[in-house]
Amino acid sequence: MNNEAAVPERFHGPKSPVILRTVTLDEAGQRIDNFLMRHFKTVPRSRVYRLLRKGEVRVNRKRVDAEYRIQQGDEVRLPPVRIDAVETDGRITPRQPSSSLLELIERAVIFQDKHLLAIDKPAGVAVHGGSGMSFGVIEALRASRPRETLELVHRLDRDTSGCLLVARDRSTLTALHALIRNGGMHKTYLALVAGSWQLGTKRVDAPLATDNRQHGERHVRVAAAGKDSVSIFKPVQFFGPLATLMEVDIPTGRTHQIRVHASFAGHPLLGDDKYGDRERNAELKRHGLKRTFLHAQSVAFEWPGSGVPFHASAPLPGELAAVLDAITPMKRRAPPRQAAPRRATAAPHRATKQPRR
């Protein structure tokens, strides 16, 4: 007699029907890829982009690219797709994130009000499903809060930890996206770069092209025809010739921007196996670095309309702090002439990660 518990069988369920959707006023203004991911909640992100590339998604009977912003009254053809499902005890249900992922993400919430969630995203968790992961932060939040309308305000790489904003209503998402486009959202990162940074506070203004793929993976590069991209690097602590801890502000938010700009400046991020230095990475691995040293330290902006400041911050994760401790014998602080003055801004609504009990 087999006493083992039955394991749910994963399979691709039946196809969904073709649907023609008319865009409402509330839906207008968002990118078509985001619109599709809201509709196809159990479909991997990579599959959604494939639907767009193949022209299976049509807007007003025409092909569109992922950056197209839908307008009120647009007719969107939603093609049939197979639903990723499981069968348990004869019942077929769409696959759901694991309870451990739901708990991890709910514990990572550092701020919430009726408009916004701020998450201290753990490293190793994607912000959305796809690229080898079925579920990410947004799928976990939607599963644990099924009655809410939740959308990513911005994104972080899977390896990057720290502040991530999620809108809880459509109007908040639209307002914050407009703020980002107009340069009104300030995102600050901590990064450990290879070598001793001797460039002082450095503004890297180098356009980035994100359409290049190598071995099937996106590979961003500096290119004159790319999109405008600006990163401001400020040295915080020096660790001899080995490394420099940097504070990085990004007025723009392109894919892999900090990683590519750091490499372009001659000081790639440590732990970065795509744009980094293999020998330096191996050396830092011996000091305990197991991922790209990049952490989204804070996000700040003024709410459109009211001007009320918002600030969310997350402390450096323990595994990265331990790496700095391990290389501390080589540390010296940045000379005063190189350290840029820190901004002091009023922020009555501060969201700061609290120690877990």
Side-chain angles (χ1 to χ4, degrees):
M1 181 177 177
N2 188 355
N3 293 320
E4 293 183 0
V7 177
E9 180 184 356
R10 177 180 173 179
F11 71 104
H12 293 295
K15 281 189 175 184
S16 61
V18 174
I19 297 175
L20 294 178
R21 275 280 305 276
T22 300
V23 176
T24 66
L25 178 60
D26 288 342
E27 295 168 330
Q30 64 182 302
R31 284 173 40 146
I32 185 66
D33 55 349
N34 293 328
F35 174 82
L36 293 173
M37 280 180 280
R38 282 190 63 189
H39 178 78
F40 297 122
K41 292 182 179 179
T42 63
V43 176
R45 183 179 177 86
S46 57
R47 172 64 174 146
V48 169
Y49 281 105
R50 196 177 308 127
L51 293 173
L52 283 165
R53 287 197 303 272
K54 289 186 174 181
E56 294 183 53
V57 174
R58 299 277 175 143
V59 178
N60 302 326
R61 301 183 179 181
K62 297 179 181 177
R63 286 177 176 248
V64 293
D65 59 30
E67 297 183 354
Y68 175 81
R69 293 190 179 275
I70 55 178
Q71 305 299 318
Q72 182 181 7
D74 278 353
E75 184 183 73
V76 181
R77 178 189 184 271
L78 300 169
V81 297
R82 292 199 180 277
I83 300 170
D84 199 7
V86 295
E87 182 175 0
T88 309
D89 298 329
R91 292 182 302 166
I92 298 173
T93 57
R95 293 184 67 233
Q96 293 291 319
S98 66
S99 58
S100 59
L101 178 61
L102 299 186
E103 292 170 6
L104 177 66
I105 299 306
E106 283 294 340
R107 288 199 307 269
V109 175
I110 56 177
F111 171 85
Q112 59 181 315
D113 63 13
K114 65 180 181 179
H115 300 296
L116 193 65
L117 292 173
I119 311 292
D120 182 4
K121 188 188 83 66
V125 179
V127 296
H128 48 67
S131 300
M133 296 192 73
S134 297
F135 305 108
V137 171
I138 193 62
E139 289 86 6
L141 286 172
R142 286 170 178 163
S144 63
R145 301 165 182 241
R147 297 182 180 179
E148 295 191 33
T149 299
L150 300 170
E151 298 290 348
L152 292 165
V153 174
H154 60 106
R155 292 175 171 81
L156 295 176
D157 287 347
R158 176 176 169 179
D159 244 10
T160 304
S161 55
C163 291
L164 177 71
L165 300 183
V166 178
R168 302 181 81 174
D169 57 71
R170 180 68 198 156
S171 60
T172 297
L173 181 71
T174 302
L176 294 184
H177 277 177
L179 201 66
I180 291 172
R181 288 195 297 272
N182 295 326
M185 185 172 288
H186 306 286
K187 292 179 281 187
T188 302
Y189 292 73
L190 286 176
L192 190 68
V193 303
S196 180
W197 182 281
Q198 298 298 315
L199 304 173
T201 296
K202 172 78 172 175
R203 176 187 172 98
V204 177
D205 190 344
L208 298 178
T210 62
D211 57 352
N212 185 42
R213 292 192 173 271
Q214 295 183 8
H215 309 295
E217 293 186 357
R218 186 191 299 270
H219 194 94
V220 180
R221 68 191 191 283
V222 173
K227 295 180 179 179
D228 291 343
S229 307
V230 176
S231 303
I232 302 169
F233 292 84
K234 307 171 189 176
V236 176
Q237 291 177 332
F238 289 85
F239 296 85
L242 179 64
T244 308
L245 182 66
M246 309 293 294
E247 186 178 271
V248 190
D249 293 333
I250 53 169
T252 59
R254 309 301 181 197
T255 301
H256 300 174
Q257 177 177 313
I258 294 175
R259 298 163 64 188
V260 177
H261 277 174
S263 181
F264 182 70
H267 295 270
L269 265 60
L270 288 164
D272 186 349
D273 59 5
K274 180 172 287 188
Y275 307 103
D277 182 303
R278 183 176 299 176
E279 291 183 5
R280 289 290 176 89
N281 286 348
E283 187 171 358
L284 264 292
K285 191 172 184 178
R286 292 194 292 271
H287 290 288
L289 184 60
K290 298 178 181 179
R291 65 166 174 103
T292 304
F293 197 119
L294 185 61
H295 175 69
Q297 180 177 238
S298 65
V299 179
F301 61 87
E302 292 184 355
W303 279 104
S306 68
V308 174
F310 174 88
H311 181 274
S313 62
L316 194 67
E319 72 272 13
L320 296 186
V323 171
L324 297 184
D325 288 342
I327 61 176
T328 290
M330 294 173 256
K331 180 175 70 176
R332 67 179 177 84
R333 291 196 174 275
R337 63 184 178 82
Q338 290 185 323
R342 301 182 69 86
R343 278 196 306 271
T345 56
H349 297 285
R350 177 176 294 274
T352 304
K353 179 73 170 179
Q354 300 298 321
R356 292 177 185 165
R357 297 185 183 276

